[in-house]
């Protein structure tokens, strides 16, 4: 199963205990389903858990049944629920203040969503029927899709009432309400009743941050090692030039000691090399001596004193 399917399965375990919330959840499903008119209600899903929940949801919310049910509940296959009985549809329309004699004006009736629990249930229904969420191990993306512009716009006004801040865009004939940040997705999932899925999103974020942190540190260490190796090679090359020109024997004891240690221990860092000096010196002191050797190699015939 996909992460989106697992999330919907978790949401479908939410008990249908309150009629007002059941109506709100059904409302979200209806405004994001395939058809919601005075003549027909049609909801299509590929989630077996959603397919099992829909008949119970409509019985709890309205006391009505679907006229047409899928022959079998099979995850991953399209399963369609249809309602064409005029009396049943009238009951559904009345619950939201719609008139069956006219075309349903697909707007969100905020009067049906006065309580925060009902607002959350509305978003749950919208997600179950018209939403999806990407596996957070791959990327962060959760969206709700509807073909109704008015519903899409009014959803943007409803979201802040639950402290949600989605983005919006359009994809062909669909209007999308979406979240791209891991924290925002986790907040949305927690709000609609999927805390386990929300925790998986946050765990995925922590794992990515850990891996990225390790990679950054590794890359930094590699860069530092490469830089140190290049510097050591340059220093040794300078010392070889001083030897070839006969300058090295005429340098101070401290510079000769530094040159000897650098050539004998090309793999050591400056700190490690400084500790081998007699007496030991600071890293900055040793760096000064090596820099002096490099400068002398570029100016043949000069000698120098070092601290």
């Amino acid at each position: 199963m996909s992460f989106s399917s697992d999330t919907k399965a978790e949401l479908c375990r939410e008990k249908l205990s309150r009629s007002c919330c059941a109506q709100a959840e059904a409302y979200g499903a209806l405004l994001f389903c395939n058809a919601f008119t005075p003549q027909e209600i049609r909801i299509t899903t590929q989630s077996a858990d959603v397919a099992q929940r829909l008949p119970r949801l409509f019985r709890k919310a309205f006391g009505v049944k679907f006229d047409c049910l899928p022959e079998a509940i099979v995850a991953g296959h399209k399963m369609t629920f249809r309602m064409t009985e005029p009396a049943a549809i009238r009951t559904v329309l009345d619950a939201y203040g719609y008139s069956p004699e006219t075309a349903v004006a697909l707007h969100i009736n905020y009067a049906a969503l006065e309580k925060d629990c009902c607002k959350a249930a509305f978003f749950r229904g919208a997600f179950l029927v018209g939403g999806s969420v990407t596996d957070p191990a791959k990327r962060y993306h959760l969206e709700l899709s509807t073909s109704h512009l008015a519903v899409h716009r009014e959803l943007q006004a409803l979201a802040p009432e639950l402290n949600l801040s989605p983005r919006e865009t359009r994809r062909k004939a669909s209007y999308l309400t979406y979240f791209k940040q891991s924290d925002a997705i986790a907040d949305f999932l927690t709000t609609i009743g999927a805390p386990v899925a929300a925790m998986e999103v946050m765990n995925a974020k922590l794992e990515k941050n850990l891996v990225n942190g390790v990679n950054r540190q590794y890359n930094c260490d590699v860069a530092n090692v490469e830089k140190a190796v290049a510097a050591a090679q340059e220093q040794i090359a300078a010392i070889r030039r001083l030897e070839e020109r006969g300058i090295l024997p005429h340098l101070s004891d401290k510079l000769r000691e530094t040159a000897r240690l650098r050539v004998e221990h090309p793999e050591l860092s400056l700190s490690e090399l400084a500790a081998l000096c007699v007496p030991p010196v600071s890293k900055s002191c040793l760096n000064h001596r090596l820099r002096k050797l490099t400068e002398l190699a570029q100016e043949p015939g000069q000698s120098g004193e070092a601290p």
Side-chain angles (χ1 to χ4, degrees):
M1 293 178 66
S2 67
F3 179 74
S4 190
S5 297
D6 290 341
T7 300
K8 292 183 178 183
E10 181 184 359
L11 290 171
C12 287
R13 291 193 288 271
E14 183 79 11
K15 293 182 179 180
L16 298 170
S17 56
R18 305 179 64 176
S19 297
C20 63
C21 290
Q23 287 190 358
E25 183 178 324
Y27 198 16
L30 288 165
L31 292 181
F32 282 78
C33 72
N34 305 84
F36 179 29
T37 71
Q39 293 76 39
E40 178 191 27
I41 292 174
R42 185 173 74 256
I43 303 174
T44 299
T45 181
Q46 292 186 358
S47 167
D49 297 281
V50 174
Q52 292 171 350
R53 184 176 181 84
L54 283 173
R56 294 187 289 110
L57 177 63
F58 275 68
R59 283 198 302 270
K60 178 69 175 180
F62 316 108
V64 298
K65 297 181 180 180
F66 288 99
D67 306 330
C68 178
L69 299 172
E71 294 182 358
I73 304 296
V74 182
H77 291 70
K78 287 186 177 181
M79 294 163 281
T80 300
F81 296 78
R82 294 180 69 244
M83 186 181 297
T84 57
E85 174 61 38
I89 295 179
R90 178 185 290 272
T91 299
V92 175
L93 296 178
D94 287 345
Y96 305 119
Y98 295 133
S99 172
E101 282 74 28
T102 60
V104 175
L106 289 180
H107 289 266
I108 298 176
N109 182 357
Y110 296 111
L113 306 172
E114 294 182 351
K115 301 177 183 178
D116 285 348
C117 60
C118 293
K119 295 183 181 73
F122 175 84
F123 275 99
R124 180 167 58 249
F127 178 80
L128 287 174
V129 171
S132 63
V133 60
T134 304
D135 185 344
K138 299 177 181 178
R139 64 189 182 101
Y140 304 123
H141 184 82
L142 184 150
E143 68 180 37
L144 304 174
S145 176
T146 180
S147 59
H148 309 296
L149 177 58
V151 172
H152 167 72
R153 286 178 174 173
E154 290 159 358
L155 198 68
Q156 308 306 309
L158 183 63
E161 296 185 21
L162 292 176
N163 297 317
L164 302 173
S165 301
R167 301 179 185 180
E168 56 179 313
T169 189
R170 183 173 181 176
R171 183 189 297 148
K172 296 182 179 179
S174 298
Y175 300 94
L176 304 182
T177 298
Y178 69 96
F179 301 89
K180 295 292 288 185
Q181 300 297 321
S182 58
D183 292 349
I185 293 174
D187 288 344
F188 178 83
L189 293 175
T190 299
T191 298
I192 65 174
V196 175
M199 184 62 70
E200 289 189 36
V201 172
M202 298 313 296
N203 286 340
K205 178 182 179 179
L206 291 174
E207 290 178 5
K208 288 180 181 179
N209 288 343
L210 178 61
V211 171
N212 290 338
V214 170
N215 287 340
R216 281 195 296 269
Q217 185 61 50
Y218 173 78
N219 292 335
C220 182
D221 291 343
V222 169
N224 288 337
V225 169
E226 291 177 347
K227 183 178 179 180
V229 169
Q233 291 175 342
E234 181 181 350
Q235 293 158 2
I236 291 173
I239 293 169
R240 297 300 187 196
R241 288 196 297 271
L242 291 173
E243 286 180 327
E244 292 171 358
R245 295 168 186 170
I247 298 174
L248 191 61
H250 302 289
L251 300 180
S252 67
D253 293 342
K254 294 175 180 179
L255 286 179
R256 290 201 307 273
E257 178 189 39
T258 299
R260 177 181 60 79
L261 290 174
R262 178 77 286 178
V263 172
E264 292 178 355
H265 304 284
E267 78 286 356
L268 295 186
S269 66
L270 290 182
S271 298
E272 294 169 329
L273 209 60
L276 295 180
C277 293
V278 181
V281 298
S282 66
K283 176 181 175 181
S284 61
C285 177
L286 185 72
N287 187 50
H288 173 74
R289 293 180 183 180
L290 289 168
R291 189 164 58 247
K292 183 65 175 179
L293 288 170
T294 302
E295 292 172 355
L296 289 172
Q298 296 172 353
E299 300 178 16
Q302 296 189 25
S303 62
E305 292 293 330

